[in-house]
Amino acid sequence: MTTMSLPPMPPLCADEVLDRQARAVSELRRRDLRGMIVWGRGSYAQDRNTDITYLTNWHPAGPCLPPTFGRQCEGSGHAALIVTPDERFILFTDDDPAYSPDHLIHADEVEVCTSQSLVGRLCEVAEKVFAGSGSPIMLLGGDAMQWTFWERLAQAVGQGRIFEDYMFGADLRAVKSPREQMLLRRASKVGDIAVDLVMGGIAPGRTDAEVSAPGYAAAARFGARPYLFGILSNPASTYTHTQPSPWDGRRPMEEGNLVRVDFAGNVDGYMLDVARNRVVGDKPTELQRMMTRAACDAVWAGVRAVRAGVTFGEVARSCQASLAKSALLTECPEITIPNWWGHTIGLRAEGPRVMADSDRVLETGMAFAIEQGLRIPGVGLASYEELVIVAPEGYELLTYAKNWMLEVGG
Amino acid sequence: MSRLERIEPEISLRDIPPVPREVYLERQARARQLAKHKGLAGFFCWVRGNGTYDRFASLMYLANHIPVSTYRTPDAVNYVGHGSSHAALWLPVEGDVVLFVDKPEHEMSNHLFVADRVVRSPGDLLEAMLPALDEVLPSKGEIGLVGSDVIMAPWYARFPAELRDRWRVTEDAIDVLQQVKVEDELRMSRLAASVASHAMRAVLAAAVPGTTEVSAMGEGYERIIRAGAQIYYASASSGPRQLSLRPDSTLAGTMQMKTGDLAAFEFEIGLEGYVGKIMATTCLGGEPTAEQAEVLAGLDVILQAGVAAAGPGSTAGDIAAACDAASTAQPWATRADTIRPRNWGHGLGMGIGLPEIVTTSRDPLMPGTILFLCAQLAVPGIGRVAKSVEILITETGNELLE
């Protein structure tokens, strides 16, 4: 059992959340909007709670129960937030926050609903709050809102008034506070430990599942919630995950298989995300060596380009240039040079993204992943990923997991 | 090697054959018959994968597919709801079964779908799906919609209005088909139950004062994943401060457990889609107090009453009534501040489903049905307590799975 512990984190202070709320309201005013509705789904992987968590420090943790359980469960595992024209933050949840004594919620009002009444109460309050004006209402989290709820909400506030801005929340969160940066460093440390454990356990005869277990469990013991634990050793597959589980529990690894691990999750809500490769037996073929080297070098070309004032596009184009001149591309010119090279990290993976055509400027305190996966059918998948925070002078690297291909067999 | 590993043999998928293709084809045939019986042109099943409380069951059941790709958040330029980590199936009364997946062919090469035709999307699920649907759907007749609750607003808006007008929500249709398991399915369900039990025993052995809840849970995670299973939901709660049946799984769990407290743990796992689920409670570092022991013993009495009522021909309502009666006899049942769940459990298969164990459930239980029966509550001064059993209804009575 891993016994290492992480340094304790100071609790989230009210001022930080109030600052987020103030910035949200300020942005609404700048856009001449009088309020917004935020919708969130919780309960583990694929959560879409980020907007609500960021603005209130509340995470809906109950399960999203299927509709076969009846209408009394329809809102289970969800939460909503209304930001009113007079800057009130009204949180709706189907779980009583009073039962989570360590959980400090920042909202002017908290409406504890039943699962069945959640959507209805949201609609009633929204109708009242946004009455008397035909002005548009911004909705965050609409992609996590089932269409029947959307129709009820649209009916309550007036058809055609709801619109979405998918970047509003991401823009608000793009620059991380010093505390958020500490949380990202802690989370990355857990990711490094987990991935090193997994990669160290790779051996012929073991299944992907057997190799994954110690790393996953070690991360969980630090309080991490893994979102994605993509391990792939089967050269017949270039899919990023196996089916129907993320790890193959049947097929034993064979000498010479290229293994890729991409681990994403969160610790105290903040993301870890790291990808590495290793060849079973540590005797890579020339092609495997070229693939992993090309992915690593391209990512690092991007990392070295990171500094405040450059654009995400410039970072991505540095990656592209490295890949273009790699030995792999000479050997396999049919490989397409990707446009996409990573994503912002924080409470989730999101934008701004590291895209070659992005003109978004990097600011000190932004944190993001630079990553790439190169697939060759019959050979496998080589992935490499690093996390960085934009520092006043350059970058701060968050990921220190061992590069097995360079240090052992590359 | 831990003491537990020396005692318990490793559970693994390695020697367990997967559910054969013939079983999927037989399921499709039954689904076609059901659609015909309901006067539908077929079923359109929409699913979400890659996460806890996934809603993949209908596609996994009918076509051996769970969408496992990462969900992409909708903040990319020109986002219109591209549908990553979602999939759909058109299963007509007559004609080809068509599967719509969110990955191109080269990324799905290792997986055996059971469908006559697979429409693959390189980026936007609906962009590839809508023209194909236009081609394969019959021109008239109602279409049974399964998974309506995981069609999110942006995707719904992209389906043509004339198609949406033909949808009839039939949420429980495939769920009902899944209730009675054949031997190939029971083999997977039994193994899933074994993995969950094995993991829970490891957690209970590791749950000692001074360790954290997540540290004990880690012992269970390790065994679950090593077996090839996936964790859908996990929770831990210890001490009297925890007064919710839904511990905050984001932030809780890193505090140290204390001597004399009760600690409750829960796992819901998936083994190639088949769910195993377990809840258990232990007293940390010694014997429970009289009050704790009384509550824990009460849970056993409730479960025993429920198990005794479970058999072929009885209903989930009968089981719920038996649990209600046993519960009423418990001293804590009269306390107004005790928090109880709304049901005593539910069916298990590829997810949690029918029948729900509530007194209003009236359909007779058939042999081959698996139930998750749980007794859980939160009592001020004690905290959360929970225990469970998995029950397989047999021809002659029931069998507890572990």
Side-chain angles (χ1 to χ4, degrees):
Chain A
M1 187 189 297
T2 307
T3 54
M4 188 185 299
S5 61
L6 297 174
M9 275 300 299
L12 182 65
C13 66
D15 285 352
E16 185 161 346
V17 181
L18 293 175
D19 171 68
R20 296 170 182 175
Q21 294 181 350
R23 284 189 290 115
V25 168
S26 168
E27 183 61 18
L28 289 174
R29 284 185 179 142
R30 192 185 69 77
R31 298 181 185 204
D32 205 21
L33 296 168
R34 298 176 62 212
M36 68 177 170
I37 297 168
V38 189
W39 180 255
R41 180 177 73 222
S43 189
Y44 229 67
Q46 300 282 21
D47 282 356
R48 296 281 294 109
N49 61 288
T50 302
D51 293 315
I52 286 181
T53 303
Y54 189 75
L55 290 171
T56 66
N57 196 33
W58 175 243
H59 176 271
C64 304
L65 294 170
T68 43
F69 280 11
R71 280 206 62 191
Q72 63 265 40
C73 298
E74 68 172 14
S76 59
H78 292 80
L81 177 72
I82 288 179
V83 182
T84 71
D86 56 351
E87 300 176 35
R88 279 157 60 219
F89 284 73
I90 309 169
L91 177 68
F92 303 82
T93 169
D94 73 332
D95 200 2
D96 191 341
Y99 293 137
S100 298
D102 293 339
H103 206 133
L104 186 62
I105 292 178
H106 299 270
D108 300 298
E109 298 164 43
V110 179
E111 283 223 17
V112 180
C113 310
T114 64
S115 296
Q116 183 167 5
S117 68
L118 181 75
V119 180
R121 275 302 292 156
L122 170 67
C123 291
E124 284 171 20
V125 176
E127 184 177 7
K128 200 176 295 178
V129 163
F130 296 111
S133 160
S135 61
I137 301 164
M138 184 190 292
L139 174 68
L140 302 188
D143 67 305
M145 177 179 273
Q146 59 176 274
W147 59 276
T148 50
F149 298 169
W150 174 290
E151 289 193 333
R152 287 163 65 184
L153 190 59
Q155 195 167 11
V157 299
Q159 294 288 346
R161 289 185 70 191
I162 296 175
F163 77 99
E164 292 188 83
D165 180 342
Y166 296 118
M167 281 301 290
F168 184 89
D171 282 339
L172 212 57
R173 295 184 286 273
V175 174
K176 307 300 184 279
S177 72
R179 183 179 180 278
E180 288 180 300
Q181 293 178 32
M182 286 173 70
L183 285 161
L184 287 169
R185 288 183 197 106
R186 273 165 50 97
S188 279
K189 193 174 174 64
V190 173
D192 292 342
I193 291 167
V195 169
D196 282 345
L197 265 173
V198 173
M199 302 307 273
I202 288 169
R206 306 190 73 195
T207 65
D208 290 6
E210 289 163 355
V211 167
S212 299
Y216 188 109
R221 288 183 188 111
F222 285 117
R225 294 194 335 151
Y227 279 169
L228 162 82
F229 209 105
I231 179 167
L232 190 68
S233 67
N234 187 347
S237 173
T238 51
Y239 189 42
T240 45
H241 314 284
T242 53
Q243 281 218 29
S245 290
W247 30 76
D248 193 327
R250 296 180 181 277
R251 177 189 170 276
M253 292 178 178
E254 297 170 5
E255 194 94 23
N257 286 164
L258 174 59
V259 187
R260 161 273 204 186
V261 172
D262 187 346
F263 178 29
N266 77 55
V267 180
D268 292 329
Y270 280 79
M271 271 196 79
L272 58 92
D273 197 357
V274 58
R276 293 291 188 267
N277 310 283
R278 186 181 180 186
V279 169
V280 183
D282 294 324
K283 292 172 187 159
T285 64
E286 193 53 33
L287 186 55
Q288 288 170 334
R289 197 187 305 269
M290 281 193 282
M291 287 171 71
T292 54
R293 185 87 210 193
C296 175
D297 285 352
V299 165
W300 267 95
V303 169
R304 282 190 286 267
V306 171
R307 64 181 182 281
V310 306
T311 65
F312 280 99
E314 288 174 90
V315 174
R317 292 194 293 275
S318 299
C319 301
Q320 288 180 321
S322 170
L323 181 58
K325 66 180 185 190
S326 69
L328 179 69
L329 265 281
T330 306
E331 182 72 19
C332 307
E334 69 278 11
I335 290 177
T336 307
I337 295 178
N339 188 41
W340 183 93
W341 287 88
H343 53 81
T344 290
I345 56 163
L347 285 168
R348 72 178 185 203
E350 58 186 349
R353 303 193 185 259
V354 188
M355 313 241 337
D357 53 2
S358 170
D359 57 5
R360 179 69 183 263
V361 175
L362 270 56
E363 299 171 56
T364 301
M366 284 181 163
F368 57 95
I370 305 177
E371 64 173 319
Q372 197 50 258
L374 299 170
R375 303 172 170 89
I376 296 182
V379 179
L381 172 63
S383 290
Y384 201 82
E385 181 171 22
E386 303 281 27
L387 302 184
V388 292
I389 295 176
V390 182
E393 302 291 334
Y395 63 88
E396 175 188 344
L397 185 69
L398 298 183
T399 34
Y400 287 93
K402 187 172 176 175
N403 185 341
W404 289 82
M405 295 300 292
L406 290 181
E407 297 180 32
V408 179
Chain B
M1 184 180 281
S2 72
R3 186 173 60 85
L4 196 80
E5 284 172 297
R6 287 196 294 274
I7 297 168
E8 300 212 29
E10 191 75 16
I11 300 174
S12 171
L13 267 173
R14 284 185 188 227
D15 303 320
I16 306 294
V19 173
R21 180 182 172 82
E22 294 70 35
V23 171
Y24 291 95
L25 295 174
E26 187 273 335
R27 293 169 179 170
Q28 290 180 3
R30 283 195 292 129
R32 288 180 199 267
Q33 284 173 6
L34 182 63
K36 188 175 181 181
H37 177 72
K38 287 178 173 286
L40 300 167
F43 288 115
F44 180 71
C45 307
W46 175 272
V47 300
R48 177 177 72 221
N50 195 26
T52 309
Y53 287 95
D54 283 352
R55 300 272 290 106
F56 60 78
S58 63
L59 251 68
M60 184 63 193
Y61 186 74
L62 294 170
N64 194 28
H65 176 58
I66 299 175
V68 294
S69 56
T70 309
Y71 177 72
R72 279 179 281 161
T73 49
D75 47 21
V77 177
N78 298 325
Y79 168 79
V80 282
H82 40 55
S84 60
S85 77
H86 291 71
L89 185 79
W90 165 239
L91 189 143
V93 171
E94 290 178 355
D96 286 352
V97 174
V98 185
L99 176 63
F100 303 91
V101 300
D102 64 340
K103 286 287 173 183
E105 185 167 12
H106 75 271
E107 296 198 34
M108 308 296 277
S109 53
N110 67 328
H111 195 67
L112 179 67
F113 300 120
V114 184
D116 301 303
R117 182 178 161 196
V118 180
V119 176
R120 301 162 197 272
S121 159
D124 182 334
L125 180 65
L126 269 77
E127 189 175 299
M129 179 192 297
L130 293 176
L133 273 181
D134 197 39
E135 183 190 317
V136 300
L137 289 181
S139 57
K140 58 182 180 180
E142 282 192 314
I143 293 165
L145 178 61
V146 177
S148 66
D149 64 311
V150 285
I151 300 182
M152 298 299 121
W155 298 303
Y156 179 78
R158 293 181 64 196
F159 283 101
E162 55 270 27
L163 172 58
R164 297 188 316 226
D165 289 345
R166 293 170 63 193
W167 280 344
R168 190 208 303 173
V169 174
T170 51
E171 284 308 339
D172 60 354
I174 308 301
D175 217 22
V176 168
L177 285 182
Q178 289 182 55
Q179 274 187 46
V180 176
K181 276 86 177 164
V182 299
E183 196 48 48
D184 285 306
E185 297 169 290
L186 288 176
R187 183 178 64 239
M188 295 302 296
S189 289
R190 286 177 196 277
L191 191 65
S194 295
V195 171
S197 298
H198 184 60
M200 185 58 81
R201 286 194 290 274
V203 171
L204 295 178
V208 294
T211 59
T212 61
E213 293 168 357
V214 288
S215 172
M217 292 291 277
E219 295 298 304
Y221 291 143
E222 189 153 353
R223 282 152 183 82
I224 290 164
I225 292 161
R226 202 187 299 156
Q230 180 176 6
I231 296 157
Y232 286 153
Y233 184 79
S235 73
S237 51
S238 65
R241 50 176 288 288
Q242 179 62 54
L243 284 178
S244 172
L245 300 177
R246 301 175 183 176
D248 182 341
S249 51
T250 315
L251 301 171
T254 50
M255 70 291 289
Q256 288 190 338
M257 295 187 284
K258 294 176 186 163
T259 302
D261 282 351
L262 295 183
F265 301 97
E266 177 178 357
F267 282 124
E268 184 177 334
I269 64 142
L271 190 71
E272 297 196 337
Y274 289 85
V275 172
K277 188 169 177 181
I278 191 166
M279 296 172 174
T281 305
T282 187
C283 183
L284 298 164
E287 295 300 312
T289 63
E291 188 185 21
Q292 290 170 333
E294 183 178 55
V295 171
L296 291 173
L299 300 188
D300 290 331
V301 169
I302 294 166
L303 291 178
Q304 286 160 11
V307 171
S314 68
T315 67
D318 296 334
I319 298 171
C323 292
D324 279 345
S327 166
T328 307
Q330 302 303 317
W332 45 260
T334 55
R335 288 178 56 166
D337 53 0
T338 297
I339 300 162
R340 302 173 187 79
R342 53 178 293 278
N343 67 29
W344 295 104
H346 47 73
L348 279 186
M350 288 184 180
I352 58 178
L354 296 174
E356 190 175 15
I357 306 178
V358 290
T359 51
T360 51
S361 293
R362 284 284 164 256
D363 292 331
L365 296 170
M366 306 287 287
T369 301
I370 296 176
L371 300 171
F372 172 74
L373 178 66
C374 62
Q376 60 168 329
L377 62 152
V379 187
I382 291 181
R384 180 187 180 223
V385 288
K387 291 187 179 186
S388 71
V389 289
E390 278 193 37
I391 307 170
L392 168 64
I393 305 298
T394 64
E395 296 286 350
T396 55
N398 67 58
E399 173 192 339
L400 299 187
L401 303 183
E402 66 167 351

